Amino acid sequence: MKMKLWSQNGGDAGAISVAGRATGWQKPAATERKRESTGALLIGVMQWLGELAEFCGRVVKAAVTRPFEFKELVRQMDEIGAKSLPLVALAGAAIGVVLSLHTRDSLIRFGARSMLPALIVLSIVKESGPIITALVVSGRVGAGIGAELGSMKVTEQIDAIEASAVNPYKFLAATRVAACMFMLPLLTIVADFCGIVAGWLTNAMAEPMPFKLFLNYGLAQADFADLLPATFKTVVFGFIIGVIGCFQGMRATGGTEGVGRASKSAVMLASLFVILADVVLVRLIITFFPS
Amino acid sequence: MKHNDNNSAIRLRRVSKSFGEQVVLNGVDLEVTRGETVTVLGRSGTGKSVMLKLIIGLKRADAGHIELNGEEITSMPLEELNRVRKTVGFLFQGAALYDSLNIEENVAFPLRRHTTLNDRERRERVRELLARVGMEREGAKMPAELSGGMKKRVGLARALALDPEIMLLDEPTAGLDPITASEINELIREMQQERKITSIVVTHDMRSVKSVADRVAMLNDGNIVIEGSIDDLKKSNDEFVSRFIEESGEVH
């Protein structure tokens, strides 16, 4: 629909520009079209952000008003948290292995081999663990929520919930968003642990060292400001993943194709916003929790 | 705001609804009295389902007034609207059963949220509702395991869960074989007789009309073109009405 609208506008702009060239006072057609398409894109983005903000408001309001949907919340925590555990653990372990392999040679070259445990622990706990967890969850859960709610929307199940005098923002969205916010920090702790263990194992193959000693060296350089804010920033990631997944799903239109679009866009936008939020959160953590 | 000064359960006055440039309903007037069943006929895409969604507030009318049991719902806040919705049962075209819940949980969904029944009483009520639609043995199944006709039966049981005063049925027999469609029609008729429920049945199935309707309204070009008994429709000189009746296999 938007494409058609754009093309129609583009055509009109072209006609004006042709006339413009003859009289010498109009912009060239290509420039006009570019300006119009940029304008339409900006309006589209602003409209999407406005609708997203309104959606967030409805979800937050639904989440804090009675009755609470505890049973559905527990079901979603299992779906989002427990079932993401193997994937998150594996991703965390892979990061630990890669970090250990990459940094060992470099540190030896600079004569800083003893810093390896600290480097692995700090880089996993402060950044790699939280962001990898958020991206893995936004892939698995964001797509799942987008597809499930999108499918419910196009098969009128969301209408049926509303017709039953139940608030779908409470039953469907608030429970999923809250489950994401609760489970992200827990999954991050699992990813951190698996990453540190895998990093130690990889290092131990080249240079045997007890795990306790590795951990002691690693944590000797870390304090409260390194561990807690980095782990709990994932609550924000959870909010982003949950809200964007639900938002894209609940506004799906156009049958199964719409469900596919909702699912894809949920993953893409959730991942993008997680990365952008990470930039802001890291800056805030450095400002408010200096090491 | 309650204006319960007559016997009308559902009243639409000059109701209009458009989607972008497309005018779907253009000043529709319809009144359904208590205990009456009105079927709304019309071609696909003429706004029959939209009309039902406007009546229960799933969509908002652009203009006009809609009253349910004397209460104007078009300007009602959501909390008030939800109170009114509890008195209305809605059977969706595809039944719209919740995929993640089994059949019993689907029927229990409104009961769990809007009644004070304990677990045992709720289970008993669900069993009773499922037995009424002949689905008592399928309670543990998931919606994906059911046929179209079975889904409609469960949808009907769920719509009846809160003992509604009004039922809105959107194409209850669409996509069903003639025997199953006839069974669903029979079920709807029995329920109307048992409970004296006011109903609007949207359909384009003339057998459904003959089986359940007290009165028929035909929608075309955003307006109700004729209202009356099925015989009135057959006698109509309106070209669209005559053609609709002829094409559906009904003879004068």
Side-chain angles (χ1 to χ4, degrees), chain B residues 17-77:
Chain B
K17 180 71 183 171
S18 302
F19 295 100
E21 299 287 302
Q22 190 192 358
V23 179
V24 178
L25 299 176
N26 188 17
V28 167
D29 289 301
L30 181 69
E31 192 164 346
V32 185
T33 54
R34 287 178 206 284
E36 188 185 25
T37 298
V38 171
T39 54
V40 178
L41 283 169
R43 295 180 66 176
S44 302
T46 49
K48 304 188 295 292
S49 300
V50 170
M51 193 173 88
L52 289 190
K53 288 185 179 178
L54 291 175
I55 292 171
I56 201 169
L58 290 174
K59 295 186 190 298
R60 294 277 177 171
D62 299 335
H65 300 278
I66 299 169
E67 286 174 21
L68 293 182
N69 288 327
E71 291 191 85
E72 167 69 48
I73 65 140
T74 43
S75 52
M76 227 176 220

Short mmCIF file of all heavy atoms in Angstrom, two decimals, chain B residues 17-77:
data_model
loop_
_atom_site.label_atom_id
_atom_site.label_comp_id
_atom_site.label_asym_id
_atom_site.label_seq_id
_atom_site.Cartn_x
_atom_site.Cartn_y
_atom_site.Cartn_z
N LYS B 17 -19.15 3.06 8.97
CA LYS B 17 -17.76 2.65 9.19
C LYS B 17 -17.04 2.60 7.85
O LYS B 17 -17.53 2.01 6.88
CB LYS B 17 -17.72 1.27 9.86
CG LYS B 17 -16.32 0.75 10.14
CD LYS B 17 -15.64 1.49 11.26
CE LYS B 17 -14.22 1.03 11.49
NZ LYS B 17 -13.50 1.88 12.43
N SER B 18 -15.88 3.24 7.82
CA SER B 18 -15.05 3.21 6.60
C SER B 18 -13.66 2.75 6.97
O SER B 18 -13.21 2.95 8.09
CB SER B 18 -14.95 4.60 5.99
OG SER B 18 -16.22 5.10 5.69
N PHE B 19 -12.98 2.13 6.01
CA PHE B 19 -11.56 1.82 6.15
C PHE B 19 -10.84 2.57 5.04
O PHE B 19 -10.92 2.15 3.88
CB PHE B 19 -11.32 0.32 6.06
CG PHE B 19 -11.95 -0.45 7.19
CD1 PHE B 19 -13.15 -1.11 7.02
CD2 PHE B 19 -11.35 -0.47 8.45
CE1 PHE B 19 -13.74 -1.80 8.06
CE2 PHE B 19 -11.93 -1.17 9.50
CZ PHE B 19 -13.14 -1.83 9.30
N GLY B 20 -10.20 3.65 5.40
CA GLY B 20 -9.59 4.51 4.38
C GLY B 20 -10.67 5.07 3.48
O GLY B 20 -11.65 5.64 3.95
N GLU B 21 -10.51 4.85 2.19
CA GLU B 21 -11.48 5.36 1.22
C GLU B 21 -12.72 4.47 1.11
O GLU B 21 -13.75 4.88 0.60
CB GLU B 21 -10.84 5.44 -0.18
CG GLU B 21 -9.63 6.36 -0.27
CD GLU B 21 -10.02 7.83 -0.22
OE1 GLU B 21 -10.81 8.24 -1.09
OE2 GLU B 21 -9.57 8.54 0.69
N GLN B 22 -12.57 3.23 1.59
CA GLN B 22 -13.63 2.24 1.39
C GLN B 22 -14.73 2.37 2.46
O GLN B 22 -14.48 2.16 3.65
CB GLN B 22 -13.03 0.84 1.43
CG GLN B 22 -14.01 -0.22 0.99
CD GLN B 22 -13.51 -1.62 1.32
OE1 GLN B 22 -12.41 -1.81 1.84
NE2 GLN B 22 -14.33 -2.61 1.00
N VAL B 23 -15.93 2.72 1.99
CA VAL B 23 -17.08 2.84 2.92
C VAL B 23 -17.69 1.44 3.06
O VAL B 23 -18.15 0.86 2.08
CB VAL B 23 -18.13 3.83 2.37
CG1 VAL B 23 -19.31 3.91 3.33
CG2 VAL B 23 -17.50 5.19 2.17
N VAL B 24 -17.66 0.90 4.27
CA VAL B 24 -18.17 -0.45 4.49
C VAL B 24 -19.62 -0.39 4.95
O VAL B 24 -20.48 -1.09 4.43
CB VAL B 24 -17.29 -1.20 5.52
CG1 VAL B 24 -17.85 -2.59 5.78
CG2 VAL B 24 -15.86 -1.31 5.02
N LEU B 25 -19.91 0.43 5.94
CA LEU B 25 -21.29 0.62 6.39
C LEU B 25 -21.63 2.09 6.26
O LEU B 25 -20.83 2.95 6.66
CB LEU B 25 -21.45 0.16 7.85
CG LEU B 25 -21.15 -1.30 8.16
CD1 LEU B 25 -21.26 -1.57 9.65
CD2 LEU B 25 -22.07 -2.24 7.40
N ASN B 26 -22.81 2.35 5.72
CA ASN B 26 -23.15 3.74 5.42
C ASN B 26 -24.52 4.10 5.99
O ASN B 26 -25.52 4.12 5.29
CB ASN B 26 -23.11 3.92 3.89
CG ASN B 26 -23.26 5.36 3.48
OD1 ASN B 26 -23.08 6.26 4.31
ND2 ASN B 26 -23.60 5.60 2.24
N GLY B 27 -24.54 4.31 7.32
CA GLY B 27 -25.79 4.70 7.97
C GLY B 27 -26.75 3.55 8.17
O GLY B 27 -27.94 3.65 7.83
N VAL B 28 -26.25 2.44 8.74
CA VAL B 28 -27.09 1.25 8.93
C VAL B 28 -28.01 1.41 10.14
O VAL B 28 -27.59 1.86 11.20
CB VAL B 28 -26.19 -0.01 9.13
CG1 VAL B 28 -27.00 -1.19 9.62
CG2 VAL B 28 -25.48 -0.36 7.84
N ASP B 29 -29.29 1.06 9.95
CA ASP B 29 -30.26 1.01 11.05
C ASP B 29 -30.72 -0.43 11.21
O ASP B 29 -31.08 -1.07 10.22
CB ASP B 29 -31.50 1.87 10.71
CG ASP B 29 -31.17 3.34 10.76
OD1 ASP B 29 -30.75 3.81 11.82
OD2 ASP B 29 -31.34 4.02 9.72
N LEU B 30 -30.68 -0.92 12.44
CA LEU B 30 -31.15 -2.29 12.70
C LEU B 30 -31.59 -2.39 14.15
O LEU B 30 -30.91 -1.87 15.05
CB LEU B 30 -30.03 -3.31 12.41
CG LEU B 30 -30.39 -4.78 12.62
CD1 LEU B 30 -31.38 -5.25 11.56
CD2 LEU B 30 -29.14 -5.65 12.56
N GLU B 31 -32.70 -3.06 14.38
CA GLU B 31 -33.17 -3.25 15.74
C GLU B 31 -33.52 -4.71 15.94
O GLU B 31 -34.18 -5.32 15.08
CB GLU B 31 -34.39 -2.35 16.00
CG GLU B 31 -34.74 -2.29 17.46
CD GLU B 31 -35.68 -1.14 17.79
OE1 GLU B 31 -35.84 -0.23 16.94
OE2 GLU B 31 -36.25 -1.17 18.88
N VAL B 32 -33.04 -5.29 17.04
CA VAL B 32 -33.35 -6.68 17.35
C VAL B 32 -34.02 -6.70 18.72
O VAL B 32 -33.45 -6.21 19.70
CB VAL B 32 -32.06 -7.55 17.38
CG1 VAL B 32 -32.42 -9.01 17.58
CG2 VAL B 32 -31.24 -7.37 16.12
N THR B 33 -35.21 -7.25 18.78
CA THR B 33 -35.92 -7.27 20.07
C THR B 33 -35.46 -8.46 20.91
O THR B 33 -34.84 -9.40 20.40
CB THR B 33 -37.45 -7.35 19.87
OG1 THR B 33 -37.71 -8.48 19.05
CG2 THR B 33 -37.99 -6.10 19.21
N ARG B 34 -35.75 -8.40 22.20
CA ARG B 34 -35.30 -9.45 23.13
C ARG B 34 -35.81 -10.82 22.71
O ARG B 34 -36.99 -10.98 22.40
CB ARG B 34 -35.79 -9.15 24.53
CG ARG B 34 -35.05 -8.02 25.16
CD ARG B 34 -35.59 -7.70 26.53
NE ARG B 34 -35.31 -6.31 26.85
CZ ARG B 34 -34.12 -5.85 27.21
NH1 ARG B 34 -33.10 -6.68 27.33
NH2 ARG B 34 -33.92 -4.57 27.46
N GLY B 35 -34.90 -11.79 22.69
CA GLY B 35 -35.25 -13.16 22.36
C GLY B 35 -35.37 -13.43 20.87
O GLY B 35 -35.60 -14.56 20.46
N GLU B 36 -35.19 -12.40 20.07
CA GLU B 36 -35.35 -12.56 18.63
C GLU B 36 -34.01 -12.97 17.99
O GLU B 36 -32.95 -12.61 18.49
CB GLU B 36 -35.80 -11.22 18.03
CG GLU B 36 -36.18 -11.31 16.56
CD GLU B 36 -36.50 -9.94 15.96
OE1 GLU B 36 -35.99 -8.92 16.49
OE2 GLU B 36 -37.21 -9.90 14.97
N THR B 37 -34.11 -13.71 16.88
CA THR B 37 -32.90 -14.06 16.11
C THR B 37 -33.01 -13.43 14.73
O THR B 37 -33.94 -13.73 13.98
CB THR B 37 -32.75 -15.58 15.97
OG1 THR B 37 -32.59 -16.13 17.27
CG2 THR B 37 -31.53 -15.94 15.15
N VAL B 38 -32.08 -12.57 14.45
CA VAL B 38 -32.05 -11.92 13.13
C VAL B 38 -30.82 -12.43 12.39
O VAL B 38 -29.72 -12.45 12.94
CB VAL B 38 -31.97 -10.38 13.28
CG1 VAL B 38 -31.71 -9.72 11.94
CG2 VAL B 38 -33.26 -9.86 13.88
N THR B 39 -31.02 -12.88 11.17
CA THR B 39 -29.85 -13.25 10.37
C THR B 39 -29.55 -12.10 9.42
O THR B 39 -30.46 -11.49 8.86
CB THR B 39 -30.06 -14.54 9.54
OG1 THR B 39 -31.22 -14.38 8.77
CG2 THR B 39 -30.18 -15.76 10.41
N VAL B 40 -28.27 -11.82 9.28
CA VAL B 40 -27.84 -10.77 8.35
C VAL B 40 -27.19 -11.45 7.16
O VAL B 40 -26.20 -12.16 7.30
CB VAL B 40 -26.86 -9.79 9.04
CG1 VAL B 40 -26.39 -8.74 8.04
CG2 VAL B 40 -27.53 -9.12 10.23
N LEU B 41 -27.83 -11.26 6.01
CA LEU B 41 -27.33 -11.86 4.77
C LEU B 41 -26.57 -10.81 3.96
O LEU B 41 -26.76 -9.61 4.16
CB LEU B 41 -28.50 -12.34 3.93
CG LEU B 41 -29.19 -13.64 4.31
CD1 LEU B 41 -30.48 -13.75 3.49
CD2 LEU B 41 -28.30 -14.82 4.03
N GLY B 42 -25.79 -11.27 3.04
CA GLY B 42 -25.10 -10.32 2.16
C GLY B 42 -23.90 -10.98 1.52
O GLY B 42 -23.44 -12.03 1.99
N ARG B 43 -23.44 -10.36 0.46
CA ARG B 43 -22.26 -10.92 -0.24
C ARG B 43 -21.03 -10.80 0.65
O ARG B 43 -21.01 -10.01 1.58
CB ARG B 43 -22.03 -10.17 -1.54
CG ARG B 43 -23.14 -10.37 -2.54
CD ARG B 43 -22.88 -9.62 -3.80
NE ARG B 43 -21.72 -10.18 -4.49
CZ ARG B 43 -21.30 -9.76 -5.69
NH1 ARG B 43 -21.95 -8.78 -6.29
NH2 ARG B 43 -20.25 -10.29 -6.26
N SER B 44 -19.99 -11.56 0.31
CA SER B 44 -18.72 -11.46 1.05
C SER B 44 -18.18 -10.04 0.90
O SER B 44 -18.26 -9.45 -0.18
CB SER B 44 -17.70 -12.44 0.49
OG SER B 44 -18.22 -13.74 0.57
N GLY B 45 -17.65 -9.52 1.98
CA GLY B 45 -17.02 -8.20 1.94
C GLY B 45 -17.99 -7.04 2.01
O GLY B 45 -17.63 -5.91 1.69
N THR B 46 -19.24 -7.32 2.42
CA THR B 46 -20.20 -6.21 2.48
C THR B 46 -20.30 -5.61 3.89
O THR B 46 -21.14 -4.77 4.15
CB THR B 46 -21.62 -6.65 2.05
OG1 THR B 46 -21.93 -7.85 2.74
CG2 THR B 46 -21.71 -6.85 0.56
N GLY B 47 -19.45 -6.09 4.80
CA GLY B 47 -19.40 -5.48 6.13
C GLY B 47 -20.24 -6.17 7.19
O GLY B 47 -20.50 -5.61 8.24
N LYS B 48 -20.62 -7.44 6.92
CA LYS B 48 -21.45 -8.16 7.91
C LYS B 48 -20.64 -8.42 9.18
O LYS B 48 -21.11 -8.14 10.29
CB LYS B 48 -21.92 -9.51 7.32
CG LYS B 48 -22.67 -9.40 6.01
CD LYS B 48 -23.26 -10.73 5.59
CE LYS B 48 -22.25 -11.81 5.28
NZ LYS B 48 -21.43 -11.58 4.08
N SER B 49 -19.42 -8.93 9.01
CA SER B 49 -18.57 -9.21 10.19
C SER B 49 -18.18 -7.92 10.88
O SER B 49 -18.10 -7.88 12.12
CB SER B 49 -17.32 -9.98 9.76
OG SER B 49 -17.68 -11.18 9.14
N VAL B 50 -17.93 -6.88 10.09
CA VAL B 50 -17.57 -5.57 10.68
C VAL B 50 -18.70 -5.09 11.57
O VAL B 50 -18.47 -4.59 12.68
CB VAL B 50 -17.26 -4.54 9.56
CG1 VAL B 50 -17.13 -3.14 10.14
CG2 VAL B 50 -16.00 -4.93 8.81
N MET B 51 -19.94 -5.30 11.11
CA MET B 51 -21.10 -4.88 11.90
C MET B 51 -21.12 -5.58 13.26
O MET B 51 -21.34 -4.95 14.30
CB MET B 51 -22.38 -5.18 11.12
CG MET B 51 -23.59 -4.51 11.69
SD MET B 51 -25.00 -4.76 10.60
CE MET B 51 -25.62 -6.28 11.23
N LEU B 52 -20.85 -6.89 13.26
CA LEU B 52 -20.82 -7.62 14.53
C LEU B 52 -19.71 -7.08 15.44
O LEU B 52 -19.89 -6.93 16.65
CB LEU B 52 -20.58 -9.11 14.29
CG LEU B 52 -21.70 -9.94 13.67
CD1 LEU B 52 -21.37 -11.42 13.75
CD2 LEU B 52 -23.02 -9.68 14.35
N LYS B 53 -18.54 -6.79 14.84
CA LYS B 53 -17.43 -6.28 15.65
C LYS B 53 -17.72 -4.89 16.20
O LYS B 53 -17.23 -4.53 17.27
CB LYS B 53 -16.13 -6.31 14.83
CG LYS B 53 -15.64 -7.73 14.63
CD LYS B 53 -14.32 -7.81 13.93
CE LYS B 53 -13.90 -9.29 13.82
NZ LYS B 53 -12.65 -9.46 13.10
N LEU B 54 -18.50 -4.12 15.47
CA LEU B 54 -18.91 -2.80 15.98
C LEU B 54 -19.86 -2.97 17.17
O LEU B 54 -19.77 -2.24 18.16
CB LEU B 54 -19.61 -2.00 14.89
CG LEU B 54 -18.77 -1.51 13.71
CD1 LEU B 54 -19.66 -0.85 12.67
CD2 LEU B 54 -17.70 -0.53 14.16
N ILE B 55 -20.72 -3.98 17.07
CA ILE B 55 -21.72 -4.18 18.13
C ILE B 55 -21.06 -4.55 19.45
O ILE B 55 -21.51 -4.15 20.51
CB ILE B 55 -22.76 -5.26 17.70
CG1 ILE B 55 -23.61 -4.72 16.54
CG2 ILE B 55 -23.65 -5.68 18.86
CD1 ILE B 55 -24.52 -5.74 15.90
N ILE B 56 -19.95 -5.29 19.37
CA ILE B 56 -19.28 -5.69 20.63
C ILE B 56 -18.10 -4.76 20.96
O ILE B 56 -17.38 -4.97 21.93
CB ILE B 56 -18.86 -7.18 20.58
CG1 ILE B 56 -18.66 -7.70 22.01
CG2 ILE B 56 -17.66 -7.41 19.70
CD1 ILE B 56 -18.50 -9.18 22.11
N GLY B 57 -17.92 -3.72 20.15
CA GLY B 57 -16.89 -2.72 20.45
C GLY B 57 -15.48 -3.13 20.10
O GLY B 57 -14.52 -2.52 20.57
N LEU B 58 -15.32 -4.16 19.25
CA LEU B 58 -13.97 -4.53 18.81
C LEU B 58 -13.46 -3.52 17.79
O LEU B 58 -12.26 -3.36 17.59
CB LEU B 58 -13.95 -5.93 18.20
CG LEU B 58 -14.16 -7.08 19.18
CD1 LEU B 58 -14.28 -8.41 18.43
CD2 LEU B 58 -13.04 -7.16 20.19
N LYS B 59 -14.39 -2.88 17.11
CA LYS B 59 -14.07 -1.76 16.23
C LYS B 59 -15.00 -0.62 16.63
O LYS B 59 -16.09 -0.86 17.14
CB LYS B 59 -14.29 -2.11 14.76
CG LYS B 59 -13.34 -3.19 14.25
CD LYS B 59 -13.50 -3.39 12.77
CE LYS B 59 -12.74 -4.62 12.28
NZ LYS B 59 -11.30 -4.54 12.48
N ARG B 60 -14.52 0.61 16.41
CA ARG B 60 -15.35 1.76 16.77
C ARG B 60 -16.02 2.33 15.52
O ARG B 60 -15.36 2.48 14.48
CB ARG B 60 -14.48 2.85 17.43
CG ARG B 60 -13.90 2.42 18.78
CD ARG B 60 -14.90 2.64 19.90
NE ARG B 60 -14.36 2.15 21.18
CZ ARG B 60 -14.94 2.37 22.35
NH1 ARG B 60 -16.05 3.06 22.43
NH2 ARG B 60 -14.41 1.89 23.46
N ALA B 61 -17.29 2.64 15.65
CA ALA B 61 -18.03 3.21 14.51
C ALA B 61 -17.54 4.64 14.26
O ALA B 61 -17.18 5.36 15.20
CB ALA B 61 -19.52 3.21 14.81
N ASP B 62 -17.52 5.03 12.99
CA ASP B 62 -17.14 6.41 12.64
C ASP B 62 -18.27 7.36 13.01
O ASP B 62 -18.03 8.51 13.38
CB ASP B 62 -16.85 6.54 11.13
CG ASP B 62 -15.69 5.66 10.71
OD1 ASP B 62 -14.85 5.36 11.58
OD2 ASP B 62 -15.63 5.27 9.53
N ALA B 63 -19.50 6.90 12.85
CA ALA B 63 -20.67 7.73 13.18
C ALA B 63 -21.84 6.83 13.54
O ALA B 63 -21.84 5.64 13.21
CB ALA B 63 -21.04 8.59 11.96
N GLY B 64 -22.81 7.38 14.23
CA GLY B 64 -24.01 6.62 14.59
C GLY B 64 -23.96 6.12 16.02
O GLY B 64 -23.01 6.39 16.76
N HIS B 65 -25.03 5.42 16.41
CA HIS B 65 -25.17 4.95 17.79
C HIS B 65 -25.47 3.45 17.81
O HIS B 65 -26.20 2.96 16.97
CB HIS B 65 -26.31 5.69 18.47
CG HIS B 65 -26.09 7.17 18.51
ND1 HIS B 65 -25.31 7.78 19.45
CD2 HIS B 65 -26.51 8.14 17.68
CE1 HIS B 65 -25.27 9.08 19.21
NE2 HIS B 65 -25.98 9.33 18.13
N ILE B 66 -24.88 2.78 18.80
CA ILE B 66 -25.16 1.35 18.99
C ILE B 66 -25.57 1.16 20.44
O ILE B 66 -24.83 1.58 21.36
CB ILE B 66 -23.91 0.49 18.67
CG1 ILE B 66 -23.50 0.67 17.22
CG2 ILE B 66 -24.19 -0.99 18.97
CD1 ILE B 66 -22.15 0.08 16.87
N GLU B 67 -26.73 0.55 20.65
CA GLU B 67 -27.20 0.29 22.02
C GLU B 67 -27.35 -1.20 22.24
O GLU B 67 -27.89 -1.91 21.39
CB GLU B 67 -28.56 0.97 22.24
CG GLU B 67 -28.48 2.47 22.39
CD GLU B 67 -29.86 3.11 22.46
OE1 GLU B 67 -30.84 2.41 22.79
OE2 GLU B 67 -29.95 4.31 22.15
N LEU B 68 -26.84 -1.66 23.38
CA LEU B 68 -27.04 -3.05 23.80
C LEU B 68 -27.83 -3.02 25.10
O LEU B 68 -27.37 -2.41 26.07
CB LEU B 68 -25.70 -3.76 24.02
CG LEU B 68 -24.83 -4.00 22.79
CD1 LEU B 68 -23.56 -4.75 23.18
CD2 LEU B 68 -25.56 -4.78 21.72
N ASN B 69 -28.97 -3.64 25.10
CA ASN B 69 -29.87 -3.61 26.27
C ASN B 69 -30.06 -2.18 26.78
O ASN B 69 -30.02 -1.92 27.99
CB ASN B 69 -29.34 -4.50 27.39
CG ASN B 69 -29.48 -5.97 27.02
OD1 ASN B 69 -30.44 -6.35 26.35
ND2 ASN B 69 -28.54 -6.77 27.44
N GLY B 70 -30.20 -1.25 25.87
CA GLY B 70 -30.48 0.13 26.23
C GLY B 70 -29.26 0.96 26.57
O GLY B 70 -29.37 2.15 26.87
N GLU B 71 -28.07 0.35 26.54
CA GLU B 71 -26.86 1.10 26.89
C GLU B 71 -26.08 1.47 25.63
O GLU B 71 -25.74 0.59 24.83
CB GLU B 71 -25.96 0.28 27.82
CG GLU B 71 -26.56 0.11 29.19
CD GLU B 71 -25.56 -0.48 30.17
OE1 GLU B 71 -24.77 0.28 30.75
OE2 GLU B 71 -25.56 -1.71 30.32
N GLU B 72 -25.81 2.74 25.51
CA GLU B 72 -25.05 3.25 24.35
C GLU B 72 -23.58 2.84 24.52
O GLU B 72 -22.95 3.19 25.52
CB GLU B 72 -25.20 4.77 24.33
CG GLU B 72 -24.26 5.50 23.42
CD GLU B 72 -24.54 5.26 21.94
OE1 GLU B 72 -25.68 5.35 21.54
OE2 GLU B 72 -23.58 4.96 21.22
N ILE B 73 -23.05 2.08 23.56
CA ILE B 73 -21.69 1.57 23.74
C ILE B 73 -20.63 2.32 22.92
O ILE B 73 -19.44 2.14 23.14
CB ILE B 73 -21.58 0.06 23.43
CG1 ILE B 73 -21.86 -0.22 21.95
CG2 ILE B 73 -22.45 -0.77 24.32
CD1 ILE B 73 -20.95 -1.25 21.38
N THR B 74 -21.06 3.13 21.97
CA THR B 74 -20.07 3.74 21.07
C THR B 74 -19.12 4.69 21.79
O THR B 74 -17.97 4.84 21.38
CB THR B 74 -20.77 4.49 19.92
OG1 THR B 74 -21.85 5.22 20.45
CG2 THR B 74 -21.23 3.57 18.83
N SER B 75 -19.59 5.33 22.87
CA SER B 75 -18.72 6.27 23.57
C SER B 75 -18.33 5.77 24.95
O SER B 75 -17.85 6.52 25.78
CB SER B 75 -19.44 7.62 23.69
OG SER B 75 -20.72 7.40 24.26
N MET B 76 -18.54 4.48 25.18
CA MET B 76 -18.30 3.92 26.51
C MET B 76 -16.81 3.73 26.79
O MET B 76 -16.07 3.26 25.92
CB MET B 76 -18.95 2.53 26.55
CG MET B 76 -19.78 2.25 27.74
SD MET B 76 -20.53 0.64 27.55
CE MET B 76 -22.13 1.00 28.21
N PRO B 77 -16.32 4.05 28.01
CA PRO B 77 -14.93 3.74 28.33
C PRO B 77 -14.74 2.21 28.42
O PRO B 77 -15.72 1.48 28.63
CB PRO B 77 -14.70 4.39 29.69
CG PRO B 77 -16.04 4.69 30.24
CD PRO B 77 -17.01 4.75 29.10
#
